Amino acid sequence: MSQRFPESSKSTTTRPRRPFRWPSLLTDSGRGIAFGGDYNPDQWPEDVWDDDIRLMTQAGVNTVALGIFSWGRIQPTEDVWEFDWLDRIIDKLGHAGIAVDLASATATAPQWLYQRHPEVLPRDRYGHVINPGSRQAWRPTSPVFRKYALAMCRKLAERYGDNPFVTAWHMGNEYGWNNRYDFSDDSQRAFRAWCERKYGTIEALNEAWGTAFWSQQVQSFDEVLLPYHMGGDSMVNPPHWADFERFGNDVLRDFYCAERDAIAEICPDKPFTTNFMVSTDQCCMDYADWANDVDFVSNDHYFHEGESHLDELVCSDALVDAFALGKPWYVMEHSTSAVQWKPLNMRKRNGELLRDSLAHVAMGADAISFFQWRQSRSGAEAFHSGMVPHAGEDSAVYRGVCELGAALRTLSDAGVQGTELRRSDTAILFHADSEWATRSQTLPSMKLNHWHDVRDWYRGYLDVGRRVDIVPLDYDWSGYATIVLPTVIMLSDDHVRRIADFVKAGGRVIVGYATGLIDEHFHVGLGGYPGVGDGLLRDVLGVRSEEFNILGAEADGEPSEITLSNGATTRLWQNDVTSVGERVRVIATYQGAAAADWELDGVPAIVRNAYGEGEAWYVGCDLDRADIARLVREQLGDGPDGELVGDVANGPDGEVIHTVREGADQDTGETVRFDFIMPRGKEDVVVHNVLGDPIVMHRCEKINDGNANVRDYVLHRNAILITRTAE
């Protein structure tokens, strides 16, 4: 089995990565797939606790995250600490065999702290105070808040550092959810210091920010301002905002590290984590960077309603698995059914609770937890589903939780824990800086979205029966055969050289229409598009474009889409390619009346260029998912393998998702392989010649009259089939 990610995978940073450490369970071996949820006993009368323990034991819960929002209960006033209730519940849980992932409790501060120190409250870009009452109403750069938060961390470590029932530390909660952007005086001072550390001289900052435009030159770091609201025009200088994004990421990560280190000084022997927020509608931090600072990667994932439900889940998980360098990772939060914070809060259908949870396992997770254990009866999240819903234990949701617990025990006994997701030969590259950059209001189109384009390419590959990996741009992707860069709008010279070297050595790169337009300072590459890397990216691709053609239904009377000679359609952005290299083969051109109207008729839209020992593909316009799939199927040689026989294929016509986890059984040492197969749509799917013995058959059945030697199955809606092979 090849290693998916070498330990030296971070290729563009000198910051060391913390060694991988996984929390123990309270089993005899300490191993097994973790199962549980966010538990808030302090929000309930104490006479409920014993019933909670009974229901947890019945469901197979073996770990809970405790104390995440409990600061006010632990420290009701500045001089009073109340740990007795926490002692009692940890003791009850531990004696029931339920391990505790203990939080630092600093996600929400108590009201007395805000009353005594209103200077810890953040401000928005208009200068308004962000008032307390929700989560994270504090400044990451506030020395006052840090003093109180670190005091809490030390108190917890002193009291519970040696407690055998506490097996991991959960720092904060969803850092940046409510305080990602702070425009306070503390933030202003910290931003100036951050800029001085980064640039060294004010001349270097002025050059990087291009401050000659609109007379924005600054003469010292004391003149550097935050990107406040600037009136109705309010077009922030893009490199200024890009650095503010990076600064916000860094100060929150620094706060996490300060909390972690305050506990580690007292209790260094238990692993640390914090929950990332990765789904294809949110990825607010540079988690590729944060992953260096946790002992194991954790993620909160909430499903996307509609037909993309399962695809979106595995797409997000593919990125989380890369952050974990292929090591097991933790689902810290997901939902048993509906949430309450979306405009449309759809519940899960029959079978989706278990299918979604095991889909995370299929993508590399070794821990499945929910928010939250008992559904709240009051507060802002009262209608957010829980493991024990308002209806109580006599409910479909709780029965589904018990069914999931049994399935996870089966997988634990079979040896899934510690196995790793098999890599693909293709990687789609994700870049947090490019995701932030595509939100800028100064680009040729405000409809760009790097992360959504990653999702569309991922789903396009699924549609032709291929599951690909998603890897951060700054990680090591040199071992892949193909890399895809969808709207990776920001590339440094180093990134471009790495791409060129990859292709020159025999790799294949697919570059999207809005990739490589700006460098890390938001400076546009000159000489034609894409111009970054002093034109090296143009050389790799063999194309030169002079203008962007932007379409949209908003322009009355103008064509809103253009067809390509291969039958595809583009509706947003077309690059006007004016020259191609000698080794370029044109795959498709713009054609038809709309193309002629925009003077694009016959202009190359998709090309392939031979470069060194490899090839570079340039997709010079936006394509929808169906056209991406057709391009992959017809031109890129990554079509379906047909039957499921030992390959990471997705079955006939991309109707199923199929992953493989493999590794050494931690008890026997034998090499084991687990196949996970799930239908993507609503119709029944038949799969043939599946390897291994079935260990979980959820909403599926073996066919052909029950002949034990036949490995054919029918998979119904929301099914998952898991088989085990000892090799």
Side-chain angles (χ1 to χ4, degrees):
M1 179 185 67
S2 62
Q3 189 177 10
R4 288 191 69 231
F5 299 99
E7 291 299 329
S8 60
S9 185
K10 286 288 287 184
S11 60
T12 61
T13 179
T14 57
R15 276 198 321 111
R17 190 178 183 104
R18 288 176 67 87
F20 172 76
R21 294 193 295 171
W22 188 257
S24 297
L25 298 178
L26 301 182
T27 59
D28 290 340
S29 66
R31 298 195 300 271
I33 295 177
F35 174 48
D38 183 348
Y39 184 36
N40 298 289
D42 48 314
Q43 297 175 18
W44 293 88
E46 197 159 334
D47 59 14
V48 175
W49 294 0
D50 286 339
D51 198 46
D52 283 335
I53 302 297
R54 176 184 67 84
L55 293 173
M56 287 180 188
T57 302
Q58 184 173 287
V61 167
N62 55 30
T63 187
V64 294
L66 192 65
I68 291 175
F69 301 113
S70 300
W71 191 342
R73 179 69 185 273
I74 295 171
Q75 191 183 11
T77 69
E78 183 168 5
D79 300 320
V80 175
W81 296 85
E82 294 184 354
F83 289 109
D84 288 351
W85 70 274
L86 193 54
D87 295 343
R88 290 193 298 276
I89 191 60
I90 290 175
D91 192 62
K92 284 179 179 288
L93 290 163
H95 281 103
I98 301 169
V100 170
D101 170 31
L102 187 59
S104 62
T106 55
T108 52
Q111 294 302 304
W112 62 260
L113 195 157
Y114 294 125
Q115 293 292 323
R116 183 164 296 184
H117 295 287
E119 69 271 22
V120 307
L121 294 168
R123 291 181 178 267
D124 67 17
R125 64 183 306 186
Y126 303 96
H128 304 146
V129 172
I130 306 297
N131 290 302
S134 185
R135 297 169 291 175
Q136 297 176 335
W138 46 268
R139 306 174 182 180
T141 55
S142 167
V144 175
F145 185 79
R146 179 175 289 214
K147 180 188 75 171
Y148 283 98
L150 297 189
M152 169 63 75
C153 291
R154 295 185 187 101
K155 286 280 190 179
L156 289 167
E158 289 165 357
R159 193 169 189 96
Y160 301 109
D162 294 329
N163 190 306
F165 302 146
V166 174
T167 62
W169 292 100
H170 179 110
M171 310 314 303
N173 186 69
E174 295 182 340
Y175 286 95
W177 180 251
N178 198 43
N179 58 356
R180 176 71 171 85
Y181 306 107
D182 173 34
F183 293 81
S184 67
D185 292 342
D186 285 332
S187 183
Q188 175 71 88
R189 285 188 289 271
F191 184 55
R192 286 169 174 167
W194 183 92
C195 289
E196 187 166 12
R197 287 193 301 272
K198 178 173 182 176
Y199 291 107
T201 68
I202 200 65
E203 291 79 13
L205 180 142
N206 279 313
E207 172 62 23
W209 286 10
T211 54
F213 188 79
W214 285 354
S215 280
Q216 296 181 55
Q217 297 97 330
V218 287
Q219 304 308 313
S220 73
F221 287 101
D222 289 338
E223 293 183 9
V224 172
L225 298 177
L226 297 173
Y228 300 105
H229 176 66
M230 301 173 298
D233 192 359
S234 199
M235 286 192 289
V236 176
N237 184 17
H240 185 177
W241 184 266
D243 271 344
F244 184 60
E245 289 272 15
R246 296 166 180 140
F247 161 77
N249 176 81
D250 289 354
V251 294
L252 280 161
R253 182 176 50 78
D254 179 68
F255 191 90
Y256 155 78
C257 289
E259 289 195 274
R260 180 201 66 197
D261 293 346
I263 292 177
E265 288 175 3
I266 300 165
C267 175
D269 298 329
K270 295 174 182 178
F272 296 87
T273 195
T274 189
N275 39 343
F276 298 172
M277 296 176 285
V278 178
S279 72
T280 51
D281 280 330
Q282 60 183 31
C283 192
C284 68
M285 297 294 183
D286 184 1
Y287 293 122
D289 185 35
W290 280 64
N292 284 322
D293 294 308
V294 296
D295 294 341
F296 61 97
V297 167
S298 301
N299 190 51
D300 293 354
H301 182 274
Y302 289 93
F303 74 94
H304 193 287
E305 60 283 341
E307 58 84 27
S308 67
H309 180 138
L310 181 60
D311 287 4
E312 186 280 324
L313 184 155
V314 297
C315 177
S316 295
D317 283 1
L319 181 57
V320 178
D321 189 68
F323 293 150
L325 298 185
K327 298 294 185 183
W329 51 274
Y330 212 109
V331 177
M332 190 62 73
E333 290 184 24
H334 70 312
S335 64
T336 55
S337 192
V339 299
Q340 93 309 334
W341 42 264
K342 292 184 178 184
L344 177 64
N345 295 302
M346 299 184 71
R347 67 172 181 157
K348 289 189 175 180
R349 292 180 171 88
N350 186 23
E352 286 183 332
L353 187 159
L354 187 141
R355 191 280 312 273
D356 285 4
S357 299
L358 297 187
H360 289 302
V361 178
M363 293 299 295
D366 272 0
I368 299 297
S369 292
F370 294 93
F371 181 85
Q372 58 180 320
W373 165 248
R374 188 178 287 274
Q375 188 173 7
S376 297
R377 64 182 302 180
S378 63
E381 294 185 294
F383 289 101
H384 189 300
S385 60
M387 298 171 76
V388 180
H390 293 149
E393 63 180 299
D394 184 14
S395 63
V397 167
Y398 179 70
R399 286 189 288 272
V401 167
C402 293
E403 182 185 14
L404 172 60
L408 292 174
R409 281 195 302 273
T410 297
L411 295 179
S412 293
D413 293 342
V416 168
Q417 191 204 348
T419 61
E420 297 184 13
L421 184 65
R422 181 186 287 183
R423 67 177 289 168
S424 170
D425 61 358
T426 298
I428 301 173
L429 303 189
F430 171 77
H431 187 216
D433 274 350
S434 288
E435 167 62 11
W436 300 336
T438 56
R439 301 174 194 168
S440 172
Q441 297 183 356
T442 65
L443 299 173
S445 172
M446 296 182 190
K447 297 179 181 179
L448 293 179
N449 189 303
H450 165 54
W451 189 208
H452 285 186
D453 281 353
V454 168
R455 175 196 62 193
D456 290 346
W457 274 88
Y458 189 90
R459 297 189 73 197
Y461 269 95
L462 287 180
D463 288 343
V464 299
R466 304 301 295 180
R467 184 193 61 78
V468 300
D469 293 340
I470 301 176
V471 179
L473 176 65
D474 287 333
Y475 282 19
D476 182 2
W477 30 262
S478 61
Y480 287 91
T482 300
I483 58 171
V484 186
L485 285 82
T487 318
V488 186
I489 194 169
M490 182 178 285
L491 292 173
S492 68
D493 287 353
D494 180 66
H495 292 142
V496 175
R497 283 192 294 271
R498 289 179 64 202
I499 293 166
D501 290 345
F502 172 81
V503 180
K504 190 179 297 183
R508 176 169 61 189
V509 63
I510 304 166
V511 171
Y513 61 97
T515 292
L517 302 184
I518 53 177
D519 69 10
E520 69 272 28
H521 301 302
F522 229 106
H523 293 190
V524 179
L526 301 180
Y529 308 115
V532 292
D534 290 328
L536 178 58
L537 188 57
R538 285 197 306 273
D539 294 341
V540 173
L541 297 172
V543 298
R544 178 178 181 270
S545 175
E546 295 184 17
E547 278 196 285
F548 316 120
N549 195 65
I550 307 301
L551 299 182
E554 300 88 342
D556 293 338
E558 297 286 0
S560 59
E561 61 181 40
I562 294 174
T563 57
L564 276 61
S565 58
N566 66 350
T569 302
T570 172
R571 299 176 177 87
L572 174 66
W573 179 308
Q574 304 80 41
N575 288 310
D576 185 7
V577 173
T578 56
S579 61
V580 297
E582 294 180 355
R583 304 183 70 188
V584 164
R585 183 165 78 91
V586 176
I587 305 301
T589 62
Y590 305 111
Q591 68 174 18
D597 187 73
W598 283 111
E599 301 174 336
L600 290 173
D601 196 25
V603 170
I606 302 173
V607 306
R608 184 179 71 186
N609 185 49
Y611 185 82
E613 298 298 317
E615 62 179 27
W617 287 70
Y618 182 59
V619 182
C621 59
D622 63 293
L623 299 177
D624 65 18
R625 170 183 149 203
D627 287 334
I628 290 171
R630 183 164 56 179
L631 178 67
V632 171
R633 179 185 296 111
E634 296 177 357
Q635 299 290 340
L636 299 176
D638 285 331
D641 287 354
E643 296 181 342
L644 297 168
V645 186
D647 194 8
V648 185
N650 293 318
D653 300 321
E655 293 179 354
V656 302
I657 293 172
H658 175 208
T659 72
V660 173
R661 289 184 59 168
E662 55 196 347
D665 186 292
Q666 295 183 3
D667 289 320
T668 67
E670 66 180 339
T671 299
V672 290
R673 161 187 171 145
F674 297 90
D675 287 73
F676 299 77
I677 306 167
M678 298 164 283
R680 297 173 66 204
K682 298 180 179 181
E683 304 301 322
D684 290 355
V685 177
V686 176
V687 292
H688 302 282
N689 299 333
V690 178
L691 293 176
D693 298 319
I695 55 174
V696 172
M697 294 176 60
H698 172 64
R699 300 175 66 85
C700 59
E701 56 199 279
K702 188 179 290 187
I703 56 176
N704 289 347
D705 300 321
N707 186 333
N709 295 319
V710 175
R711 308 289 179 160
D712 298 347
Y713 299 84
V714 59
L715 279 57
H716 305 295
R717 183 177 184 178
N718 301 328
I720 183 166
L721 169 66
I722 307 174
T723 65
R724 182 183 189 273
T725 306
E727 299 178 348

